């Protein structure tokens, strides 16, 4: 019987935000945790959170793959192509329920860089009117951040609501402020081909 599929881990520094640690599988992004003061802290926390989750074992990834993922995260937080087209980033969705998958894909595809949406409006947009609380639970289980941008989901009256990411509401505020201060780069922009 084959052993568990290894999760390859690495980290990347995002200017102005800190260190991000991530794990990937053959399917795509398995988990991302952000932001930390050092790469060591980021990777230690990632290993701790992943543990023996679903039988996965952290390993070191190949240099070419590491470079692609580092570039993708850096470009995303700069407002580049992955921010405009997050659907191009592969995600490991095997642990998601059908409800989570629908809500996450709706959030990814419909709520763009610098925008926000309420839990209730996201529930309705995803085809589950009245399921605001269930959407909040789904956001707490999001493993596809930042490409499933749960920081953009806020309360009905504009309050931030909860945020289960490391750093809590302070991180949610930082991410929303980061997007406000770093407009998304549109494809075809002559200054950013």
């Amino acid at each position: 019987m084959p052993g568990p599929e290894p999760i390859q881990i690495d980290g990347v520094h995002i200017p102005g935000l800190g260190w991000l640690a991530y794990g990937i599988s053959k399917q795509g992004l398995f988990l991302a945790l952000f932001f930390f003061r050092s790469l060591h802290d980021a990777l230690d926390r990632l290993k701790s959170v992943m543990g023996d989750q679903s039988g996965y074992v952290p390993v070191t990834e190949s240099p070419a793959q590491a470079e692609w993922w580092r570039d993708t995260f850096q470009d995303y937080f700069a407002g580049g192509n992955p921010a405009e087209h997050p659907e191009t980033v592969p995600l490991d969705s095997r642990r998601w329920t059908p409800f989570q998958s629908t809500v996450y894909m709706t959030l990814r595809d419909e709520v763009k860089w610098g925008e926000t949406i309420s839990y209730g409006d996201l529930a309705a947009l995803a085809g589950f009117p009245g399921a605001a609380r269930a959407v909040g639970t789904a956001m707490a289980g999001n493993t596809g951040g930042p490409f499933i941008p749960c920081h953009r989901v806020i309360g009905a009256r504009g309050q931030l609501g909860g945020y289960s990411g490391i750093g809590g509401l302070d991180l949610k505020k930082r991410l929303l402020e980061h997007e406000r201060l770093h407009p998304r780069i549109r494809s075809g922009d002559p200054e950013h081909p």
Side-chain angles (χ1 to χ4, degrees):
M1 180 172 182
E5 176 187 336
I7 296 298
Q8 300 178 12
I9 64 171
D10 199 7
V12 60
H13 187 262
I14 307 299
L17 293 171
W19 284 93
L20 178 149
Y22 63 93
I24 57 166
S25 70
K26 290 179 184 173
Q27 287 73 30
L29 181 65
F30 181 81
L31 179 64
L33 299 177
F34 40 94
F35 287 102
F36 298 86
R37 292 178 190 212
S38 74
L39 176 59
H40 177 76
D41 290 347
L43 292 175
D44 278 355
R45 185 59 184 261
L46 180 68
K47 290 175 188 176
S48 171
V49 169
M50 285 176 36
D52 191 26
Q53 189 171 354
S54 303
Y56 292 97
V57 180
V59 297
T60 303
E61 64 184 301
S62 71
Q65 198 170 36
E67 184 178 353
W68 186 88
W69 280 99
R70 285 183 198 129
D71 289 348
T72 297
F73 280 113
Q74 288 174 334
D75 196 25
Y76 176 85
F77 283 104
N81 190 58
E84 186 173 0
H85 299 287
E87 72 280 0
T88 62
V89 178
L91 302 172
D92 186 336
S93 62
R94 292 174 295 160
R95 296 167 295 145
W96 299 350
T97 66
F99 175 80
Q100 286 174 316
S101 186
T102 300
V103 169
Y104 293 160
M105 295 301 100
T106 301
L107 174 60
R108 180 195 72 186
D109 297 342
E110 301 297 330
V111 184
K112 303 301 182 192
W113 182 272
E115 298 176 356
T116 58
I117 190 170
S118 73
Y119 293 94
D121 287 345
L122 179 57
L125 189 61
F128 304 103
R133 203 173 283 260
V135 165
T137 300
M139 294 301 106
N142 176 21
T143 58
F147 308 108
I148 305 298
C150 58
H151 63 279
R152 295 180 191 155
V153 186
I154 61 173
R157 294 185 192 97
Q159 76 277 19
L160 291 182
Y163 190 68
S164 63
I166 294 165
L169 288 179
D170 286 340
L171 178 56
K172 188 171 188 170
K173 287 178 199 173
R174 283 178 64 203
L175 291 169
L176 291 171
E177 182 71 2
H178 178 80
E179 290 184 6
R180 187 181 72 74
L181 294 174
H182 297 86
R184 192 175 79 219
I185 300 166
R186 307 234 189 269
S187 293
D189 181 339
E191 292 185 33
H192 300 90

